[in-house]
Amino acid sequence: ASQIMTKTHGSRKIYFAIAFLAIILVVALIFAYKIYFPSAYSSTSTRQWVPIEVNSENLPNVLESTSIIHDLPDESLISLIIGESKYILDKYSVVVGELANPDVKLTLPDEYFDIIGQVGICSALVRAQQRGDLGISFSGSTASLAWKYRALGKYRSCLGA
């Protein structure tokens, strides 16, 4: 009977560890998501977002001007989909395209082009999360993604974390 209890107790520890790692991965992915939309958020600046017109064509330029894109790790694999428009985010650049197997995949409804223009990427992400409009999926181990995107922790408020 003591062996059965030990196995059950050991299984609980394993499930707890897996759940803990999953939570860390979600937080890391949120940071990665924030990297895609850094122009509206800066951890070291009190700059206010100035509303601009954002559409599928100029979104890459808008996002490239944000600190979150510049803070992405080398070899980041982030996919952003807004409506039917697909973008690849990596350190210093945002290009039109789709990744076959991104570390992080963020999806937003089409109306978020306008919302990003009105309030900035950080506030738009917070709004999307609150409304249930933000889709986030991850691939890879939680621990490796958390380590890879650890520098994005300063953007956690962009997702209400």
Side-chain angles (χ1 to χ4, degrees):
S2 64
Q3 284 184 335
I4 293 173
M5 291 180 73
T6 303
K7 286 183 182 180
T8 303
H9 191 261
S11 296
R12 286 183 183 169
K13 285 183 180 181
I14 291 172
Y15 290 131
F16 177 75
I18 291 171
F20 182 73
L21 289 176
I23 290 169
I24 290 173
L25 177 59
V26 168
V27 170
L29 291 177
I30 289 171
F31 296 140
Y33 213 61
K34 294 175 188 179
I35 290 176
Y36 293 115
F37 307 102
S39 63
Y41 178 81
S42 173
S43 63
T44 59
S45 173
T46 58
R47 216 173 18 132
Q48 294 294 316
W49 178 259
V50 176
I52 59 172
E53 182 177 333
V54 174
N55 55 46
S56 61
E57 290 80 29
N58 72 356
L59 181 70
N61 291 333
V62 171
L63 293 181
E64 286 173 359
S65 70
T66 64
S67 61
I68 196 165
I69 293 297
H70 296 263
D71 288 342
L72 284 173
D74 295 331
E75 301 178 22
S76 60
L77 298 170
I78 300 173
S79 178
L80 171 64
I81 301 171
I82 301 178
E84 298 296 318
S85 301
K86 299 174 182 179
Y87 306 93
I88 299 169
L89 306 166
D90 76 28
K91 190 172 190 90
Y92 304 116
S93 70
V94 178
V95 296
V96 174
E98 186 173 9
L99 291 168
N101 192 25
D103 292 338
V104 181
K105 182 177 182 180
L106 303 170
T107 58
L108 293 166
D110 195 53
E111 69 262 16
Y112 278 84
F113 285 115
D114 289 334
I115 295 170
I116 291 168
Q118 293 167 11
V119 300
I121 190 63
C122 186
S123 296
L125 289 175
V126 169
R127 185 178 295 182
Q129 184 183 28
Q130 290 171 344
R131 293 180 175 177
D133 291 339
L134 178 61
I136 301 176
S137 61
F138 308 102
S139 63
S141 78
T142 303
S144 66
L145 289 174
W147 181 254
K148 183 176 184 177
Y149 294 99
R150 68 191 179 278
L152 299 179
K154 63 184 174 182
Y155 301 101
R156 66 183 172 268
S157 67
C158 287
L159 292 174

